[in-house]
Amino acid sequence: MTPTRRALAISALALLLPIVDGCSAPEPAKPKVQQILKMRMRENPPDTDPAQSADSLSDRINLAVHDGLVDFDPESLAIVPAVAESWEISKDGLIYTFRLHPGVRFHNGKVLTSADVLYSFTRVLDPKVNSKRREILAGVKGAEAFGRRSATQVEGLSAPDPKTFVITLEKPMPYFLQLLATPAAAIVPRDVYEDPQKAYLSQPVGCGPFKVARWERSNFMELEAFGDYYQGRPKLDKVLVRFIENPASAMEEYRRGGLDYMDEMVGSETSIARELPRDYRKAPLLGTFYFGFNLARPPFKGNANLRKAFNYAVDRQALCDQTFEGTLTPSHGILAPGTPGFNPQLKGYDFNPALAREYLAKAGFPGGKGLPAIDLWVNNNQKLLESAQKVQANLKSAGISVRIKAVDFATFLQALQGTPESPGDALFYRYGWNADYPDPDAFLFWLLHSRNIGPAGNIGRYSNPKVDELLDRARRLNAMEERIPLYQEAERIAVEEDAAWLFLANYTQRVLIKPFVQGVVLSPLGPMRIPLDHLWIEAHPTAQASSP
Amino acid sequence: MKSYLLRRLFGILPVLWAVATLIWIILFALPGDPAAMLAGGFRSDPQVLERVRAEWGLNDSAGAQYLRYLARVACGDLGTSYRQGRPVSRILAETFPATAILALCSMLLAACAGVALGLISAAWARRWPDDLISFICLGLISLPVFWLGMMLILLFASRLGWLPVLGYGMEGLRIPATQIRLPELNHLVLPSLTLALFSLGAICRVTRASLLEVLRQRYILSSRARGMRPVSVHLRAALRNALIPVVTVLGIDFAALLGGAVATEFVFAWPGLGKTIVHGIADRDLPVVEGGVLCLCLAFVLVNLAVDLCYALVDPRVRLQ
Amino acid sequence: MTLPTRASRIGLAIVICFALAAIFAPALARLWGQNPYEPVIPVGVIPPTAPEPSHPLGTDSLGRDLLARLLYGARISLSVGVLAETVALLLGLVIGGIAGFYGGWVDDFLMRMTDIFFSLPAPLLALAVTAALPDPATLPYLRRLPEPSLAVVLLVLGFIGWAGIARLVRAQILVLREMDYAAAATALGARGGRLLLRHLLPNALAPVIATATIGVAGNILSEAWLSFLGVGAHPPLPSWGIMITEGQNYLTTHPWVCIYPGLALFSAVLGLNLLGEGLREAMDPHRFALKR
């Protein structure tokens, strides 16, 4: 070694030393035996104001922090008491009288009274608040006038005494209590939410089982058990919600024991289920997955045969089994199994390439001739893109040529929705819909009624006066037995006569939960409804950690 | 010196204006409706949409929106996030430190290792250690960062269990009198290692090249001839001069790390600015994107200025005027 | 010009291999009887399937032959890299050449412009521009290209990459302008644009080529993480970036889906980098001062 080399080598070593030193990381601290649940959420919940809660992330946090008058039983979805201890509904189905639970306190110590309920519900309807979920209370008498600012208060909401609250509806709404069980109907304390500085956005205050202890928005949210919770203090001391965007990283964190719960798995679920058989849980979900047509534009406009050709061309079973590994179930219609009114007799469409070609010819495009290439709009998501490729291949063998157009969600939304007056750019797109309440109305009214054409939900711009009439009539009836035939007829027309969409599948939900977490119930309304206040940790987490 | 500094600082303004305008134009051209993203996604009430548009002035003409934006930014007001409903400056104050700390750490790691390997390479130029190091350095540059990150997670976190998989940690030290919380040290290791491995290659190559260049210079030969000991030649004369291009690369790399660590921030769930900006683009939270890009751009310009000032310190030949 | 180091010759060999794979991808894939777009596994088998004799690298998450996709991916990734660099090169040569040649306020203005492009965070810029560009299928010329979504990616990468090249070219021109042969050309009547185009730019090209080779490597990497962030080319195109992104979800359960595209990308980029470094050294005037 020449002196030059030695000199350089020595200086190199000197520079490397601090790195070697820096690499000896401290030992991970041993977790104490604690009732702490660590869960993953994709990102920070965008809306911690319950009046604006409209996505599953916000819903999950708002359901933990707030309570409404009533709630869903997580399993049966029956309406159970929450802040309201009991209620009466008048014979005509118009007047709801709620008795409030005594001794309900907010996180700031204040006692909840009917004035808070009045304030919270008025707030949802207040044009200044501009709630995205205004529709849950839009059926209350006087809501319309209040929204137009021609009344200073909502006529149908009243608080005759601190423990009683009365709601009067414009028309009967058989599913009204279900609407009151959605996160947006939470009861919030008036003194906190009247703040013009909106401090409640950073420090939400509710009467729910958990309060927000710490919150770093791109990092984590720490929920702490609320000691004075009126239904009894939750068994968990803390729920740590970690915001982890990349699902592959989150999966490793789960394996490693840094998470006790996660949904939104990626990769092969069959392998995950095999690897973590005690953690992997699957349950149905009230939701439908389909590819939609733009019915206001050619070639789909007024061409039911073409739409039927699409429906016959796609192999749903293979799509569900291969691309989705059984995490979707093939469907013949719109309503998900488990929804009241689900019709197992609905025939729908089975995979039948011969029929597809026949209908394509009937539609005026024999062998696909004359049919321009159609863009299939998909928002960027691996599974969705895979499913789009599968459908693309199916359609191609039927002679229909489709180009996949992957765009980010905002672009996707704009291309789909258009405005109530004019349709968006997308002719053919993937779409999905989850029910907010377990009623056929939650699907059919929003997706098929011509009143909701555009952003409100009927993105395909389906319009059939017969279906509108059936849906309107069903909305006014009280008895479920009378409503169901109307909904089933509306669904049948949309599916079998009009082929309004390319009907594909129903969702399921899959989650990974460490086996030591007890009391887990998966609600058909989605994993965000897992009742956090009923969970507990059975044994020392590290003793049973299922990491390899 | 003082007037030089003033002139440079003044020169930042047109650059900031141009960047502010450019990013505004790009964001304005972005398809997708911010109001639709705010008003509830798949199901939005047309009335609510209309009110949201009015509230944020999204119905105004492009010119009016641009002028309002420029006036606001000129007064130092970065606006309010559409989605979070709080000042963009607050969001930047929360996320920029995380990004800066990560960039700083990986820069330090990369600088130490890169210069060291560069020295070795130069000492054994064109022998096997040089070839080996070249190969390793180029190999590291040739990996996609997110892939490298995943591999490091699999190795050090999943297999060996030495380090946490991801995250910033919950209990890091809080810097008094600020909103800034430092990451936990063991959470910092993997992400900064990922980024450091990536930038290391360039630093090593530049060190090597510049050292070889300097060693050829006459004054080195003459000081050797005059009988100076090689160690002092290398450390005093050569290394010092050879470091000038290295400092430039460090400066550029540091600035690139501030804005370019996006994929790493995603893989390691690092609560940084890059991720915030990407979310901002996805959610059409335009004020956050504008503010974030301006912030990164300012940081870049300032780092470059600092690099130029460093020249004067390292190289006696450089006079700032 | 010969390549000076063993490493750079290895680099050249790797690059040639990949170029051949890219050019003959359809023929090679046909040799196996595979198609990069169609599932090749029997109905009822859940993909991805492990490597086996008929599918030497296994199949991906949609049951498509991975080897066939990798071969076609070489086509896509290499052409994105090269074409994007061509765009950057053209912009950089023009802007840098003009700035260096004319000097004065033109130089000042153009160099401030490159400063601005340098100061913008490149990945975020790429993200925003990719999202902001209108649907390529509706644009007048792009529409006719076989893959409009790729065209967007390579335009964006070129749009971002020109600033570095412009600086390099300008510096070169500044030196070359003062050389004797430039004076000779001027004396012989070459003026303005002609002098720049015929005499200066060709001579400035040599160091630029080395930088551009490394730039191609950088573009292939950029395409990969643009795909990772979900704004790259559109599936079902088998670009390596898309394949790695799809594959990372299967990393622990079906590693081959992610590892093979990763290896392909890695070796191609490494080859280009080695080659670029070699070219750079080959042009180093002091090269012969060092004895082996």
Side-chain angles (χ1 to χ4, degrees):
Chain A
M1 196 186 264
T2 65
T4 314
R5 280 205 188 121
R6 195 178 316 138
L8 289 176
I10 290 169
S11 38
L13 208 65
L15 280 161
L16 276 173
L17 269 177
I19 305 176
V20 177
D21 197 41
C23 278
S24 57
E27 294 269 305
K30 283 205 181 94
K32 293 170 207 146
V33 187
Q34 266 175 338
Q35 292 289 323
I36 298 183
L37 181 80
K38 291 165 286 186
M39 59 196 285
R40 175 228 177 192
M41 240 164 61
R42 193 174 59 242
E43 52 179 302
N44 185 49
D47 291 302
T48 42
D49 178 351
Q52 304 288 6
S53 196
D55 60 285
S56 61
L57 304 179
S58 306
D59 280 358
R60 185 192 296 279
I61 297 300
N62 287 324
L63 284 167
V65 174
H66 299 280
D67 262 1
L69 287 178
V70 292
D71 201 355
F72 290 116
D73 175 84
E75 207 161 16
S76 67
L77 297 184
I79 293 293
V80 294
V83 169
E85 182 180 47
S86 62
W87 55 88
E88 274 164 37
I89 306 171
S90 66
K91 280 254 168 57
D92 55 5
L94 286 177
I95 301 168
Y96 288 66
T97 311
F98 296 93
R99 287 292 301 166
L100 303 191
H101 201 291
V104 179
R105 280 179 190 278
F106 288 112
H107 299 159
N108 63 0
K110 282 243 167 70
V111 175
L112 184 150
T113 68
S114 58
D116 293 303
V117 185
L118 177 63
Y119 170 73
S120 306
F121 286 3
T122 312
R123 191 169 174 271
V124 171
L125 292 167
D126 190 342
K128 268 191 303 225
V129 173
N130 201 21
S131 162
K132 296 173 209 171
R133 285 302 167 103
R134 204 177 51 96
E135 94 248 351
I136 58 167
L137 292 164
V140 173
K141 197 172 183 187
E144 184 82 7
F146 181 71
R148 276 185 280 111
R149 299 183 200 225
S150 53
T152 51
Q153 46 193 319
V154 187
E155 194 192 336
L157 299 177
S158 66
D161 70 73
K163 287 277 153 269
T164 313
F165 188 73
V166 183
I167 301 179
T168 314
L169 298 179
E170 198 80 51
K171 284 179 266 182
M173 288 170 81
Y175 45 85
F176 182 64
L177 282 178
Q178 298 185 342
L179 293 179
L180 291 186
T182 57
I187 314 299
V188 295
R190 176 174 195 154
D191 51 327
V192 176
Y193 282 74
E194 260 179 346
D195 173 16
Q197 302 298 319
K198 299 191 174 177
Y200 55 82
L201 288 182
S202 310
Q203 184 57 55
V205 179
C207 59
F210 291 92
K211 53 187 181 186
V212 177
R214 282 170 79 193
W215 184 14
E216 290 181 11
R217 287 179 211 241
S218 42
N219 206 353
F220 66 87
M221 183 188 251
E222 191 179 84
L223 301 170
E224 199 178 68
F226 175 41
D228 289 337
Y229 184 50
Y230 65 96
Q231 295 185 29
R233 184 185 188 280
K235 293 168 193 153
L236 290 173
D237 291 326
K238 271 179 188 169
V239 176
L240 178 62
V241 186
R242 302 178 61 187
F243 307 134
I244 302 171
E245 171 101 9
N246 189 30
S249 312
M251 192 64 220
E252 280 315 300
E253 183 71 337
Y254 182 86
R255 287 199 177 95
R256 178 75 202 282
L259 291 170
D260 303 327
Y261 165 89
M262 69 177 280
D263 43 33
E264 251 191 300
M265 275 157 270
V266 290
S268 158
E269 287 201 16
T270 324
S271 324
I272 294 174
R274 209 177 304 133
E275 176 195 341
L276 303 164
R278 298 205 301 150
D279 307 39
Y280 183 83
R281 305 206 192 172
K282 186 173 158 183
L285 182 70
L286 298 189
T288 179
F289 174 78
Y290 66 95
F291 283 19
F293 307 122
N294 188 334
L295 297 169
R297 291 186 161 196
F300 296 115
K301 187 180 183 182
N303 197 340
N305 285 330
L306 178 63
R307 305 193 298 256
K308 284 180 186 165
F310 273 67
N311 269 296
Y312 281 120
V314 175
D315 188 352
R316 293 163 185 75
Q317 195 69 48
L319 179 77
C320 292
D321 291 350
Q322 290 197 332
T323 309
F324 290 97
E325 300 179 68
T327 60
L328 290 189
T329 50
S331 82
H332 287 108
I334 300 170
L335 296 183
T339 322
F342 169 71
N343 183 358
Q345 266 91 50
L346 194 66
K347 247 181 53 234
Y349 302 90
D350 287 315
F351 177 46
N352 190 335
L355 263 181
R357 276 187 288 275
E358 194 177 302
Y359 272 102
L360 192 62
K362 264 197 223 166
F365 308 104
K369 259 189 239 93
L371 187 65
I374 295 165
D375 276 339
L376 168 54
W377 291 65
V378 187
N379 57 313
N380 276 322
N381 169 300
Q382 201 201 332
K383 270 287 164 212
L384 297 177
L385 286 169
E386 281 179 12
S387 68
Q389 293 172 51
K390 195 92 188 169
V391 170
Q392 181 189 37
N394 274 171
L395 291 173
K396 197 175 169 206
S397 27
I400 301 167
S401 118
V402 159
R403 271 189 316 230
I404 293 176
K405 196 165 161 50
V407 291
D408 78 337
F409 187 72
T411 312
F412 176 75
L413 204 58
Q414 192 184 35
L416 259 59
Q417 288 183 333
T419 61
E421 296 78 33
S422 69
D425 293 332
L427 283 180
F428 186 39
Y429 47 86
R430 82 92 199 164
Y431 202 69
W433 184 265
N434 285 337
D436 297 316
Y437 46 98
D439 193 279
D441 185 82
F443 288 97
L444 302 177
F445 177 73
W446 297 101
L447 292 168
L448 297 178
H449 199 290
S450 63
R451 204 196 80 171
N452 295 319
I453 281 181
N458 183 354
I459 282 181
R461 314 185 97 80
Y462 176 75
S463 169
N464 184 336
K466 255 192 296 179
V467 171
D468 284 357
E469 199 269 333
L470 285 166
L471 293 175
D472 283 334
R473 196 139 52 89
R475 273 204 141 191
R476 286 193 299 268
L477 293 174
N478 257 327
M480 202 46 146
E481 316 81 73
E482 294 171 41
R483 296 170 65 217
I484 283 177
L486 302 181
Y487 284 121
Q488 288 187 341
E489 176 62 6
E491 187 188 19
R492 195 196 60 76
I493 295 174
V495 175
E496 290 182 355
E497 288 180 16
D498 292 334
W501 317 330
L502 171 47
F503 304 97
L504 289 177
N506 293 117
Y507 290 116
T508 61
Q509 53 187 321
R510 291 90 49 213
V511 299
L512 286 175
I513 302 179
K514 295 275 161 158
F516 52 73
V517 180
Q518 300 291 311
V520 178
V521 180
L522 287 172
S523 159
L525 289 176
M528 73 277 191
R529 286 217 173 244
I530 290 177
L532 291 176
D533 50 328
H534 294 171
L535 305 187
W536 75 96
I537 311 283
E538 195 186 51
H540 194 293
T542 50
Q544 292 191 17
S546 50
S547 57
Chain B
M1 176 75 190
K2 207 171 188 180
S3 74
Y4 170 81
L5 201 61
L6 271 178
R7 203 154 41 85
R8 284 293 300 266
L9 285 174
F10 214 71
I12 292 178
L13 290 179
V15 173
L16 283 183
W17 168 77
V19 168
T21 305
L22 192 66
I23 193 71
W24 187 87
I25 294 172
I26 292 173
L27 291 183
F28 193 79
L30 219 56
D33 180 2
M37 294 301 288
L38 279 173
F42 271 160
R43 179 201 295 182
S44 40
D45 186 330
Q47 269 185 42
V48 174
L49 264 174
E50 218 23 72
R51 279 193 218 116
V52 168
R53 287 206 185 95
E55 185 187 346
W56 296 105
L58 296 169
N59 284 331
D60 300 352
S61 70
Q65 286 192 46
Y66 173 66
L67 288 179
R68 200 169 50 219
Y69 157 74
L70 212 58
R72 174 160 71 64
V73 172
C75 299
D77 177 9
L78 294 177
T80 309
S81 155
Y82 292 160
R83 202 157 168 90
Q84 300 190 22
R86 37 184 216 138
V88 171
S89 48
R90 278 271 295 283
I91 298 173
L92 295 184
E94 282 171 11
T95 53
F96 183 71
T99 296
I101 290 167
L102 181 58
L104 209 62
C105 275
S106 42
M107 207 63 247
L108 280 176
L109 280 177
C112 291
V115 171
L117 291 176
L119 286 173
I120 297 174
S121 253
W124 278 274
R126 283 152 212 261
R127 299 295 173 80
W128 69 265
D130 182 27
D131 282 351
L132 183 71
I133 290 174
S134 299
F135 223 86
I136 293 174
C137 285
L138 289 175
L140 288 173
I141 300 178
S142 308
L143 284 167
V145 181
F146 63 93
W147 155 276
L148 184 62
M150 278 313 291
M151 289 298 161
L152 289 178
I153 287 182
L154 285 182
L155 178 63
F156 288 108
S158 299
R159 281 286 137 74
L160 299 174
W162 291 352
L163 291 165
V165 176
L166 48 75
Y168 190 77
M170 291 182 60
E171 306 303 338
L173 277 181
R174 197 172 283 283
I175 300 179
T178 59
Q179 296 285 320
I180 303 169
R181 191 169 66 79
L182 295 177
E184 283 180 49
L185 214 56
N186 54 346
H187 283 264
L188 185 59
V189 177
L190 277 186
S192 44
L193 191 65
T194 308
L195 286 175
L197 285 177
F198 187 71
S199 9
L200 184 153
I203 294 169
C204 167
R205 303 296 296 170
V206 170
T207 311
R208 173 186 177 275
S210 134
L211 204 62
L212 287 180
E213 176 81 35
V214 169
L215 286 176
R216 276 196 295 267
Q217 303 281 327
R218 293 250 163 78
Y219 71 95
I220 299 286
L221 292 176
S222 70
S223 43
R224 290 281 295 278
R226 272 187 282 129
M228 263 177 91
R229 286 179 43 225
V231 175
S232 44
V233 170
H234 280 110
L235 291 187
R236 289 244 190 86
L239 190 56
R240 194 173 155 157
N241 284 327
L243 276 181
I244 298 167
V246 178
V247 169
T248 315
V249 171
L250 284 181
I252 292 177
D253 257 20
F254 179 69
L257 280 179
L258 285 179
V262 185
T264 315
E265 286 179 8
F266 270 90
V267 169
F268 290 100
W270 195 259
L273 182 52
K275 209 170 72 166
T276 310
I277 295 178
V278 173
H279 277 163
I281 295 174
D283 298 336
R284 300 297 184 266
D285 195 344
L286 309 187
V288 170
V289 182
E290 290 155 358
V293 169
L294 275 177
C295 171
L296 286 177
C297 168
L298 186 66
F300 180 90
V301 178
L302 291 179
V303 168
N304 265 355
L305 181 57
V307 166
D308 286 354
L309 294 178
C310 278
Y311 282 164
L313 294 179
V314 183
D315 187 346
R317 290 170 303 181
V318 175
R319 289 266 172 279
L320 299 178
Q321 42 197 272
Chain C
M1 185 173 69
T2 50
L3 287 167
T5 58
R6 203 179 314 135
S8 58
R9 286 191 287 271
I10 296 176
L12 181 65
I14 297 177
V15 172
I16 290 176
C17 283
F18 274 101
L20 289 178
I23 294 167
F24 298 110
L28 287 171
R30 219 174 299 129
L31 216 64
W32 257 274
Q34 309 298 4
N35 169 321
Y37 298 104
E38 302 285 338
V40 290
I41 53 167
V43 177
V45 176
I46 292 174
T49 57
E52 51 175 312
S54 57
H55 308 295
L57 302 184
T59 63
D60 75 352
S61 52
L62 280 180
R64 299 170 296 201
D65 184 68
L66 207 59
L67 182 62
R69 282 179 75 72
L70 274 184
L71 288 170
Y72 275 82
R75 268 189 157 192
I76 288 167
S77 292
L78 289 188
S79 48
V80 164
V82 171
L83 291 175
E85 201 53 33
T86 313
V87 173
L89 213 55
L90 287 178
L91 280 172
L93 279 175
V94 169
I95 293 174
I98 291 178
F101 186 72
Y102 291 101
W105 68 268
V106 180
D107 184 23
D108 271 350
F109 174 74
L110 291 176
M111 283 303 106
R112 287 299 81 75
M113 242 170 74
T114 46
D115 283 351
I116 288 162
F117 266 79
F118 260 112
S119 69
L120 280 167
L124 300 170
L125 191 65
L127 207 67
V129 175
T130 322
L133 279 180
D135 180 2
T138 64
L139 293 175
Y141 296 102
L142 289 184
R143 187 177 46 197
R144 297 202 207 123
L145 294 176
E147 289 300 339
S149 67
L150 270 183
V152 168
V153 173
L154 65 90
L155 280 182
V156 167
L157 292 178
F159 178 65
I160 289 166
W162 66 268
I165 294 191
R167 275 193 182 175
L168 191 64
V169 171
R170 170 180 173 271
Q172 287 287 315
I173 297 281
L174 282 181
V175 175
L176 293 173
R177 201 169 60 165
E178 304 305 323
M179 293 229 177
D180 292 343
Y181 82 90
T186 320
L188 288 174
R191 290 271 177 281
R194 188 180 157 76
L195 179 62
L196 181 62
L197 273 177
R198 298 293 294 270
H199 299 279
L200 297 183
L201 278 183
N203 283 299
L205 217 53
V208 172
I209 293 292
T211 309
T213 311
I214 294 172
V216 172
N219 288 337
I220 294 178
L221 278 182
S222 302
E223 190 273 331
W225 62 249
L226 276 181
S227 293
F228 174 74
L229 295 179
V231 291
H234 296 177
L237 274 187
S239 101
W240 290 337
I242 291 177
M243 294 171 72
I244 295 177
T245 306
E246 286 179 359
Q248 68 145 0
N249 296 334
Y250 295 87
L251 200 51
T252 41
T253 52
H254 305 79
W256 63 90
V257 189
C258 186
I259 284 183
Y260 291 131
L263 277 179
L265 180 93
F266 169 70
S267 29
V269 173
L270 180 63
L272 283 161
N273 276 332
L274 287 172
L275 180 63
E277 285 285 318
L279 286 174
R280 192 175 274 175
E281 248 180 81
M283 277 162 228
D284 182 355
H286 299 295
R287 165 160 88 93
F288 300 105
L290 271 162
K291 283 185 276 313
R292 277 216 67 125

